[in-house]
Amino acid sequence: MGAPRETPVPGGVRLASAQGRWALATSVLGSGMALLDSTVVNVALPRIGADLDADLAVLQWTVTAYLLTLSSLILLGGALGDRYGRRRIFVIGVVWFAAASLACGLAPNAGVLIAARALQGVGGALLTPGSLALIQAVFHPDDRARAVGAWSGLGGVGAAIGPFVGGWLVDGAGWRWVFFLNVPLAAVCVPVALRHVPETRRQDAAARGGFDVPGAALGALALAGVTYALIAAAEGLSPGVVVPAVLGVLLGVAFVRVEGRRADPMLPPAIFRIRLFSAINAVTVCVYAAFSGFFFLAVLQLQVVAGYSALRAGTALLPTTVLMLLLSARSGELGQRLGPRIPLTAGPLLCAAGMLLMLRVGPAASYLTDVLPALLVLGAGMVTLVAPLTSTVLASVDVDRAGLASGINNAAARAAGLVAVAALPLLAGMGPEAYRSAAEFEAAFRRAMPLLAGVLLVGALLAWLTIRTGTLRAAEPEPGRRCHPECAYHCGVSSPPLDPGEQEPRAER
């Protein structure tokens, strides 16, 4: 049985060409829009809470409703792109995301805002995996490392610059413009994608099978149950907490069983037999759980405890943006030369140190001596790990599975962030009105930062123990031989497909 066929992009698009630059810009703009929104909202939370008279649980749901649908459906989004065309699904996702953003900005109350945020997550699930899969499928193999590095860095800038943009809008036009901002971005992204990005899709029989609707529904309901229980538990244990928690766990078990029995699962269990793929996703869970928890709390700490305005709080986080902008593309190339083991071990350790340094931020904190050093160390860690992590995800599978791999990895990252934002206030002892009291919030923040640093230490240990040094190093296949899937990223040769009964993908070594 031959390898699955891909709609061809003859030779691949070169990054230095005009079409390559437009394709990269489109991918970065679309994914950056989703990443920007995921962080820009954080800085607006105190103003949203005051305007809508909301407690901490409503603020958590404003963040987690988006992450819930995003993480639940992102696998389906990747599969849709592989089958119907990555550019097509990407464009649909951008339009959907913009429409939901408009609904968020017009929301008259907290309930409507949370519902619109959930719809935003659906759009994000369509566009996010497609943006990365476009790079993997469109670009020439020799240019993929640099393109992924640029995508990671510039996309990371979108996430990091979010607090600054959010603060500027919140202090100026108002928090609703945090959501209205996505509409003009989408208006630029869609025509550029349609004009300059070639369409790619899978052509094999697997791409024409049925969709795993039961799996998507079970996954979403399982995450919803656990998330609801974690947020509600802050007010004490009750049947309203225990029942959703138990249902969430049971639905999660049912999801695993359904995926194992379906002929066309949304989450194919066989892909986790690739040791590198499983390892890098475990590291992803640790890293992005810590990132999500940190950015959720840091902007609140700066505003509630340190007394910063929304704009000043957002501006305070700009050092991470500058570092990502300047160094991430080079970090991707360095990761390819050194291998991912060292950067994926050192990066989380640096991030953990940065988060512990944030313990110096209190009511009388100096930006230059307290806030800035912490953010510089954190930014250095992010630069070190983000591009190699993304490259390693794609290196672990063949090109044809780019949409699936990026979907699973994004789902792991967003689900980790979802659980972190839901659980961290509970673990740190934050009450429903904590963000209204500087003393109460500061005490909880000081309990939360060591917890997040501990999660990053676990991620660093996993990377050191499970990821090989030479995974991303360029290698030429011998004549007449295909590369193992862990090499497909840098040589561009697809490997034979995975047989269900094999513990490892077949490789013609």
Side-chain angles (χ1 to χ4, degrees):
M1 177 174 146
R5 292 186 296 115
E6 179 92 6
T7 300
V9 178
V13 175
R14 301 310 301 244
L15 182 59
S17 67
Q19 185 182 23
R21 290 192 294 269
W22 279 115
L24 178 62
T26 301
S27 181
V28 168
L29 185 59
S31 63
M33 186 171 66
L35 287 170
L36 173 69
D37 193 84
S38 68
T39 57
V40 74
V41 173
N42 288 344
V43 77
L45 290 175
R47 197 66 59 85
I48 291 173
D51 189 32
L52 301 181
D53 193 25
D55 61 13
L56 182 62
V58 170
L59 302 189
Q60 286 176 273
W61 274 114
T62 301
V63 175
T64 57
Y66 173 80
L67 292 174
L68 175 60
T69 50
L70 175 64
S71 57
S72 300
L73 300 176
I74 204 166
L75 298 178
L76 185 59
L80 286 168
D82 284 344
R83 183 181 307 182
Y84 293 119
R86 287 151 187 155
R87 185 189 67 180
R88 176 184 298 175
I89 299 303
F90 173 81
V91 168
I92 292 172
V94 170
V95 173
W96 185 305
F97 192 90
S101 298
L102 185 61
C104 288
L106 297 174
N109 54 55
V112 174
L113 175 61
I114 291 170
R117 286 283 286 165
L119 289 175
Q120 259 193 322
V122 176
L126 296 176
L127 73 89
T128 301
S131 66
L132 184 55
L134 284 175
I135 290 179
Q136 184 70 356
V138 167
F139 281 97
H140 190 281
D142 293 343
D143 289 339
R144 286 180 190 146
R146 188 168 180 82
V148 169
W151 178 89
S152 299
L154 295 174
V157 167
I161 203 173
F164 168 74
V165 174
W168 177 66
L169 290 172
V170 168
D171 283 347
W175 66 264
R176 296 181 186 275
W177 283 91
V178 165
F179 300 106
F180 292 150
L181 175 65
N182 292 318
V183 178
L185 293 178
V188 173
C189 184
V190 169
V192 172
L194 293 175
R195 179 175 177 81
H196 296 286
V197 179
E199 184 63 281
T200 61
R201 62 170 61 86
R202 291 181 64 180
Q203 299 287 328
D204 60 302
R208 297 189 292 272
F211 287 114
D212 185 11
V213 176
L218 286 171
L221 291 172
L223 283 174
V226 172
T227 302
Y228 181 89
L230 288 171
I231 293 176
E235 299 184 14
L237 289 178
S238 67
V241 173
V242 175
V243 172
V246 172
L247 285 176
V249 172
L250 292 177
L251 288 168
V253 172
F255 170 77
V256 173
R257 292 176 65 87
V258 166
E259 296 303 278
R261 293 178 178 178
R262 285 185 62 90
D264 53 349
M266 178 180 69
L267 183 63
I271 199 171
F272 289 99
R273 294 174 187 162
I274 303 172
R275 287 191 295 268
L276 177 60
F277 184 77
S278 297
I280 196 63
N281 277 284
V283 175
T284 296
V285 166
C286 295
V287 166
Y288 280 92
F291 286 173
S292 296
F294 174 80
F295 284 109
F296 176 68
L297 295 182
V299 289
L300 289 171
Q301 174 77 356
L302 290 173
Q303 292 180 75
V304 174
V305 177
Y308 284 25
S309 66
L311 176 58
R312 191 181 175 196
T315 305
L317 299 178
L318 278 179
T320 57
T321 302
V322 175
L323 289 175
M324 293 289 286
L325 179 62
L326 294 178
L327 302 176
S328 280
R330 297 300 179 188
S331 175
E333 294 179 335
L334 182 63
Q336 189 176 22
R337 291 199 299 269
L338 297 178
R341 189 186 191 194
I342 292 175
L344 291 181
T345 301
L349 293 177
L350 285 171
C351 290
M355 291 183 188
L356 291 177
L357 285 174
M358 282 294 291
L359 293 173
R360 296 167 55 86
V361 178
S366 164
Y367 181 75
L368 290 179
T369 60
D370 297 323
V371 180
L372 182 59
L375 294 176
L376 288 175
V377 174
L378 175 66
M382 293 174 67
V383 166
T384 302
L385 72 90
V386 170
L389 186 148
T390 304
S391 296
T392 307
V393 169
L394 297 178
S396 66
V397 299
D398 57 47
V399 174
D400 191 67
R401 294 187 178 187
L404 176 63
S406 63
I408 291 174
N409 188 250
N410 271 283
R414 309 313 166 196
L418 167 67
V419 174
V421 173
L424 193 57
L426 173 65
L427 296 175
M430 290 186 185
E433 303 297 323
Y435 80 98
R436 303 183 193 275
S437 167
E440 184 180 350
F441 191 89
E442 182 184 14
F445 183 82
R446 293 186 176 279
R447 292 189 290 267
M449 289 301 103
L451 292 174
L452 296 177
V455 172
L456 286 165
L457 290 177
V458 172
L461 182 62
L462 284 172
W464 181 256
L465 295 176
T466 61
I467 297 175
R468 296 201 307 270
T469 298
T471 298
L472 300 181
R473 288 179 182 166
E476 291 295 331
E478 296 179 20
R481 294 194 178 189
R482 291 190 179 93
C483 280
H484 188 275
E486 292 183 5
C487 304
Y489 171 77
H490 48 68
C491 72
V493 180
S494 296
S495 65
L498 182 67
D499 284 341
E502 294 182 328
Q503 295 301 310
E504 287 285 329
R506 289 188 289 109
E508 299 173 20
R509 290 282 185 185

Short mmCIF file of all heavy atoms in Angstrom, two decimals, residues 157-200:
data_model
loop_
_atom_site.label_atom_id
_atom_site.label_comp_id
_atom_site.label_asym_id
_atom_site.label_seq_id
_atom_site.Cartn_x
_atom_site.Cartn_y
_atom_site.Cartn_z
N VAL A 157 4.28 36.73 18.82
CA VAL A 157 4.18 38.17 19.01
C VAL A 157 2.72 38.59 19.09
O VAL A 157 2.33 39.44 19.90
CB VAL A 157 4.89 38.92 17.87
CG1 VAL A 157 4.54 40.40 17.86
CG2 VAL A 157 6.40 38.74 17.99
N GLY A 158 1.87 37.95 18.26
CA GLY A 158 0.45 38.26 18.32
C GLY A 158 -0.13 37.97 19.69
O GLY A 158 -0.96 38.73 20.21
N ALA A 159 0.33 36.86 20.28
CA ALA A 159 -0.15 36.53 21.63
C ALA A 159 0.43 37.48 22.68
O ALA A 159 -0.27 37.93 23.58
CB ALA A 159 0.24 35.09 21.96
N ALA A 160 1.73 37.76 22.53
CA ALA A 160 2.38 38.58 23.55
C ALA A 160 1.98 40.05 23.48
O ALA A 160 1.90 40.73 24.51
CB ALA A 160 3.90 38.46 23.40
N ILE A 161 1.72 40.56 22.26
CA ILE A 161 1.35 41.96 22.12
C ILE A 161 -0.11 42.20 22.52
O ILE A 161 -0.54 43.34 22.70
CB ILE A 161 1.59 42.44 20.67
CG1 ILE A 161 1.76 43.96 20.62
CG2 ILE A 161 0.45 42.02 19.74
CD1 ILE A 161 2.16 44.48 19.27
N GLY A 162 -0.84 41.11 22.69
CA GLY A 162 -2.25 41.23 23.05
C GLY A 162 -2.52 42.08 24.27
O GLY A 162 -3.39 42.96 24.24
N PRO A 163 -1.80 41.86 25.39
CA PRO A 163 -2.06 42.70 26.57
C PRO A 163 -1.84 44.18 26.32
O PRO A 163 -2.59 45.02 26.83
CB PRO A 163 -1.05 42.15 27.60
CG PRO A 163 -0.85 40.73 27.19
CD PRO A 163 -0.90 40.74 25.70
N PHE A 164 -0.83 44.54 25.50
CA PHE A 164 -0.60 45.96 25.19
C PHE A 164 -1.76 46.53 24.38
O PHE A 164 -2.30 47.60 24.70
CB PHE A 164 0.72 46.12 24.42
CG PHE A 164 0.89 47.48 23.81
CD1 PHE A 164 1.20 48.57 24.60
CD2 PHE A 164 0.73 47.66 22.45
CE1 PHE A 164 1.36 49.83 24.04
CE2 PHE A 164 0.89 48.91 21.88
CZ PHE A 164 1.20 50.00 22.67
N VAL A 165 -2.14 45.82 23.32
CA VAL A 165 -3.25 46.29 22.49
C VAL A 165 -4.54 46.35 23.31
O VAL A 165 -5.31 47.31 23.22
CB VAL A 165 -3.43 45.38 21.26
CG1 VAL A 165 -4.66 45.77 20.46
CG2 VAL A 165 -2.19 45.44 20.38
N GLY A 166 -4.74 45.32 24.12
CA GLY A 166 -5.94 45.31 24.96
C GLY A 166 -5.98 46.47 25.92
O GLY A 166 -7.02 47.11 26.10
N GLY A 167 -4.84 46.76 26.55
CA GLY A 167 -4.79 47.88 27.49
C GLY A 167 -5.06 49.20 26.81
O GLY A 167 -5.79 50.05 27.34
N TRP A 168 -4.49 49.38 25.63
CA TRP A 168 -4.70 50.63 24.89
C TRP A 168 -6.17 50.80 24.54
O TRP A 168 -6.73 51.89 24.66
CB TRP A 168 -3.83 50.60 23.64
CG TRP A 168 -4.01 51.79 22.74
CD1 TRP A 168 -3.68 53.08 23.02
CD2 TRP A 168 -4.58 51.78 21.43
NE1 TRP A 168 -4.00 53.89 21.96
CE2 TRP A 168 -4.56 53.12 20.96
CE3 TRP A 168 -5.09 50.78 20.60
CZ2 TRP A 168 -5.04 53.47 19.71
CZ3 TRP A 168 -5.55 51.13 19.35
CH2 TRP A 168 -5.53 52.46 18.92
N LEU A 169 -6.82 49.71 24.11
CA LEU A 169 -8.23 49.80 23.73
C LEU A 169 -9.12 49.96 24.96
O LEU A 169 -10.07 50.74 24.95
CB LEU A 169 -8.63 48.55 22.95
CG LEU A 169 -8.04 48.42 21.55
CD1 LEU A 169 -8.36 47.05 20.95
CD2 LEU A 169 -8.57 49.52 20.63
N VAL A 170 -8.82 49.22 26.03
CA VAL A 170 -9.66 49.29 27.23
C VAL A 170 -9.63 50.70 27.83
O VAL A 170 -10.66 51.25 28.22
CB VAL A 170 -9.20 48.24 28.26
CG1 VAL A 170 -9.87 48.49 29.62
CG2 VAL A 170 -9.53 46.84 27.77
N ASP A 171 -8.44 51.28 27.92
CA ASP A 171 -8.33 52.63 28.50
C ASP A 171 -8.83 53.70 27.55
O ASP A 171 -9.09 54.83 27.97
CB ASP A 171 -6.87 52.93 28.86
CG ASP A 171 -6.44 52.22 30.13
OD1 ASP A 171 -7.32 51.71 30.86
OD2 ASP A 171 -5.23 52.17 30.40
N GLY A 172 -8.95 53.36 26.26
CA GLY A 172 -9.40 54.34 25.29
C GLY A 172 -10.84 54.12 24.87
O GLY A 172 -11.78 54.59 25.53
N ALA A 173 -11.03 53.39 23.79
CA ALA A 173 -12.37 53.20 23.24
C ALA A 173 -13.27 52.33 24.11
O ALA A 173 -14.49 52.41 24.03
CB ALA A 173 -12.27 52.59 21.83
N GLY A 174 -12.68 51.46 24.91
CA GLY A 174 -13.48 50.58 25.77
C GLY A 174 -13.21 49.11 25.47
O GLY A 174 -12.70 48.75 24.41
N TRP A 175 -13.58 48.23 26.42
CA TRP A 175 -13.25 46.82 26.29
C TRP A 175 -13.91 46.15 25.09
O TRP A 175 -13.40 45.16 24.55
CB TRP A 175 -13.59 46.07 27.57
CG TRP A 175 -15.06 45.98 27.91
CD1 TRP A 175 -15.75 46.80 28.75
CD2 TRP A 175 -15.99 45.00 27.45
NE1 TRP A 175 -17.07 46.42 28.83
CE2 TRP A 175 -17.24 45.30 28.04
CE3 TRP A 175 -15.92 43.91 26.60
CZ2 TRP A 175 -18.39 44.54 27.80
CZ3 TRP A 175 -17.06 43.15 26.36
CH2 TRP A 175 -18.28 43.47 26.96
N ARG A 176 -15.03 46.66 24.64
CA ARG A 176 -15.71 46.02 23.50
C ARG A 176 -14.87 46.08 22.23
O ARG A 176 -14.97 45.20 21.37
CB ARG A 176 -17.07 46.67 23.27
CG ARG A 176 -18.03 46.47 24.44
CD ARG A 176 -19.38 47.10 24.22
NE ARG A 176 -20.20 47.00 25.42
CZ ARG A 176 -20.94 45.93 25.74
NH1 ARG A 176 -20.95 44.89 24.91
NH2 ARG A 176 -21.65 45.89 26.84
N TRP A 177 -14.00 47.08 22.12
CA TRP A 177 -13.16 47.20 20.93
C TRP A 177 -12.05 46.15 20.91
O TRP A 177 -11.41 45.94 19.87
CB TRP A 177 -12.60 48.61 20.84
CG TRP A 177 -13.65 49.55 20.34
CD1 TRP A 177 -14.53 50.27 21.08
CD2 TRP A 177 -13.94 49.83 18.98
NE1 TRP A 177 -15.37 50.99 20.28
CE2 TRP A 177 -15.04 50.74 18.98
CE3 TRP A 177 -13.41 49.42 17.76
CZ2 TRP A 177 -15.58 51.23 17.80
CZ3 TRP A 177 -13.96 49.90 16.59
CH2 TRP A 177 -15.02 50.80 16.61
N VAL A 178 -11.83 45.50 22.03
CA VAL A 178 -10.91 44.36 22.04
C VAL A 178 -11.40 43.29 21.06
O VAL A 178 -10.60 42.62 20.40
CB VAL A 178 -10.82 43.79 23.48
CG1 VAL A 178 -10.20 42.41 23.48
CG2 VAL A 178 -10.02 44.74 24.37
N PHE A 179 -12.72 43.15 20.95
CA PHE A 179 -13.30 42.16 20.04
C PHE A 179 -13.54 42.73 18.65
O PHE A 179 -13.35 42.04 17.65
CB PHE A 179 -14.61 41.64 20.63
CG PHE A 179 -14.45 40.97 21.97
CD1 PHE A 179 -14.86 41.60 23.13
CD2 PHE A 179 -13.88 39.72 22.07
CE1 PHE A 179 -14.71 41.00 24.37
CE2 PHE A 179 -13.72 39.11 23.30
CZ PHE A 179 -14.14 39.75 24.45
N PHE A 180 -13.93 43.97 18.56
CA PHE A 180 -14.16 44.59 17.25
C PHE A 180 -12.88 44.61 16.40
O PHE A 180 -12.95 44.62 15.17
CB PHE A 180 -14.68 46.02 17.42
CG PHE A 180 -16.06 46.11 18.01
CD1 PHE A 180 -16.43 47.22 18.77
CD2 PHE A 180 -17.00 45.12 17.80
CE1 PHE A 180 -17.71 47.32 19.30
CE2 PHE A 180 -18.27 45.20 18.34
CZ PHE A 180 -18.63 46.30 19.09
N LEU A 181 -11.72 44.59 17.06
CA LEU A 181 -10.44 44.65 16.35
C LEU A 181 -10.29 43.52 15.34
O LEU A 181 -9.63 43.67 14.30
CB LEU A 181 -9.30 44.60 17.38
CG LEU A 181 -7.87 44.54 16.84
CD1 LEU A 181 -7.54 45.83 16.10
CD2 LEU A 181 -6.89 44.31 17.98
N ASN A 182 -10.89 42.36 15.62
CA ASN A 182 -10.71 41.21 14.74
C ASN A 182 -11.38 41.37 13.37
O ASN A 182 -10.99 40.70 12.41
CB ASN A 182 -11.26 39.95 15.42
CG ASN A 182 -10.43 39.55 16.62
OD1 ASN A 182 -9.21 39.60 16.58
ND2 ASN A 182 -11.10 39.17 17.70
N VAL A 183 -12.37 42.21 13.30
CA VAL A 183 -13.12 42.35 12.04
C VAL A 183 -12.25 42.92 10.93
O VAL A 183 -12.17 42.34 9.83
CB VAL A 183 -14.38 43.20 12.26
CG1 VAL A 183 -15.12 43.39 10.94
CG2 VAL A 183 -15.30 42.51 13.28
N PRO A 184 -11.53 44.04 11.11
CA PRO A 184 -10.67 44.52 10.02
C PRO A 184 -9.49 43.58 9.74
O PRO A 184 -9.05 43.48 8.59
CB PRO A 184 -10.18 45.88 10.53
CG PRO A 184 -10.40 45.87 11.99
CD PRO A 184 -11.58 45.01 12.23
N LEU A 185 -8.98 42.88 10.75
CA LEU A 185 -7.92 41.91 10.50
C LEU A 185 -8.39 40.80 9.56
O LEU A 185 -7.67 40.39 8.64
CB LEU A 185 -7.42 41.31 11.82
CG LEU A 185 -6.70 42.26 12.77
CD1 LEU A 185 -6.32 41.53 14.06
CD2 LEU A 185 -5.46 42.85 12.12
N ALA A 186 -9.61 40.32 9.80
CA ALA A 186 -10.17 39.29 8.92
C ALA A 186 -10.39 39.82 7.52
O ALA A 186 -10.21 39.11 6.53
CB ALA A 186 -11.48 38.77 9.51
N ALA A 187 -10.79 41.08 7.42
CA ALA A 187 -11.04 41.67 6.11
C ALA A 187 -9.76 41.76 5.27
O ALA A 187 -9.82 41.75 4.04
CB ALA A 187 -11.65 43.07 6.28
N VAL A 188 -8.61 41.81 5.91
CA VAL A 188 -7.34 41.79 5.20
C VAL A 188 -6.92 40.36 4.88
O VAL A 188 -6.45 40.04 3.79
CB VAL A 188 -6.25 42.50 6.02
CG1 VAL A 188 -4.88 42.34 5.36
CG2 VAL A 188 -6.59 43.98 6.20
N CYS A 189 -7.09 39.48 5.84
CA CYS A 189 -6.58 38.11 5.73
C CYS A 189 -7.28 37.32 4.62
O CYS A 189 -6.62 36.60 3.86
CB CYS A 189 -6.75 37.40 7.08
SG CYS A 189 -6.05 35.74 7.13
N VAL A 190 -8.58 37.41 4.53
CA VAL A 190 -9.34 36.56 3.61
C VAL A 190 -8.95 36.80 2.15
O VAL A 190 -8.63 35.84 1.43
CB VAL A 190 -10.85 36.74 3.83
CG1 VAL A 190 -11.65 36.07 2.72
CG2 VAL A 190 -11.25 36.15 5.19
N PRO A 191 -8.98 38.02 1.63
CA PRO A 191 -8.62 38.20 0.21
C PRO A 191 -7.17 37.83 -0.09
O PRO A 191 -6.87 37.32 -1.18
CB PRO A 191 -8.88 39.69 -0.05
CG PRO A 191 -8.92 40.32 1.28
CD PRO A 191 -9.41 39.30 2.23
N VAL A 192 -6.26 38.06 0.84
CA VAL A 192 -4.87 37.68 0.62
C VAL A 192 -4.74 36.17 0.51
O VAL A 192 -4.03 35.64 -0.36
CB VAL A 192 -3.97 38.22 1.74
CG1 VAL A 192 -2.55 37.67 1.62
CG2 VAL A 192 -3.94 39.75 1.71
N ALA A 193 -5.44 35.43 1.38
CA ALA A 193 -5.40 33.97 1.33
C ALA A 193 -5.95 33.45 0.01
O ALA A 193 -5.37 32.55 -0.61
CB ALA A 193 -6.18 33.40 2.50
N LEU A 194 -7.08 34.00 -0.42
CA LEU A 194 -7.70 33.52 -1.65
C LEU A 194 -6.86 33.82 -2.88
O LEU A 194 -6.86 33.06 -3.86
CB LEU A 194 -9.09 34.16 -1.81
CG LEU A 194 -10.14 33.74 -0.77
CD1 LEU A 194 -11.42 34.52 -0.97
CD2 LEU A 194 -10.42 32.24 -0.85
N ARG A 195 -6.09 34.89 -2.83
CA ARG A 195 -5.31 35.28 -4.01
C ARG A 195 -3.93 34.63 -4.06
O ARG A 195 -3.43 34.27 -5.14
CB ARG A 195 -5.15 36.81 -4.04
CG ARG A 195 -4.34 37.32 -5.22
CD ARG A 195 -4.32 38.83 -5.26
NE ARG A 195 -3.50 39.35 -6.34
CZ ARG A 195 -3.89 39.46 -7.61
NH1 ARG A 195 -5.13 39.10 -7.94
NH2 ARG A 195 -3.08 39.93 -8.53
N HIS A 196 -3.29 34.44 -2.91
CA HIS A 196 -1.88 34.09 -2.92
C HIS A 196 -1.54 32.71 -2.37
O HIS A 196 -0.40 32.26 -2.54
CB HIS A 196 -1.08 35.14 -2.11
CG HIS A 196 -1.11 36.51 -2.70
ND1 HIS A 196 -0.40 36.85 -3.83
CD2 HIS A 196 -1.79 37.63 -2.32
CE1 HIS A 196 -0.61 38.12 -4.11
NE2 HIS A 196 -1.44 38.62 -3.22
N VAL A 197 -2.46 32.05 -1.68
CA VAL A 197 -2.13 30.76 -1.05
C VAL A 197 -2.70 29.63 -1.89
O VAL A 197 -3.91 29.58 -2.13
CB VAL A 197 -2.69 30.69 0.39
CG1 VAL A 197 -2.36 29.33 1.01
CG2 VAL A 197 -2.12 31.81 1.23
N PRO A 198 -1.87 28.68 -2.36
CA PRO A 198 -2.38 27.54 -3.12
C PRO A 198 -3.17 26.59 -2.23
O PRO A 198 -2.90 26.49 -1.03
CB PRO A 198 -1.11 26.87 -3.66
CG PRO A 198 -0.03 27.28 -2.71
CD PRO A 198 -0.40 28.65 -2.24
N GLU A 199 -4.13 25.91 -2.81
CA GLU A 199 -4.94 24.95 -2.06
C GLU A 199 -4.24 23.61 -1.98
O GLU A 199 -3.61 23.17 -2.95
CB GLU A 199 -6.31 24.78 -2.75
CG GLU A 199 -7.28 23.88 -2.00
CD GLU A 199 -7.66 24.44 -0.63
OE1 GLU A 199 -6.84 24.30 0.30
OE2 GLU A 199 -8.75 25.02 -0.51
N THR A 200 -4.28 22.98 -0.83
CA THR A 200 -3.75 21.63 -0.65
C THR A 200 -4.76 20.81 0.13
O THR A 200 -5.48 21.32 0.98
CB THR A 200 -2.41 21.63 0.12
OG1 THR A 200 -2.63 22.18 1.43
CG2 THR A 200 -1.36 22.44 -0.60
#
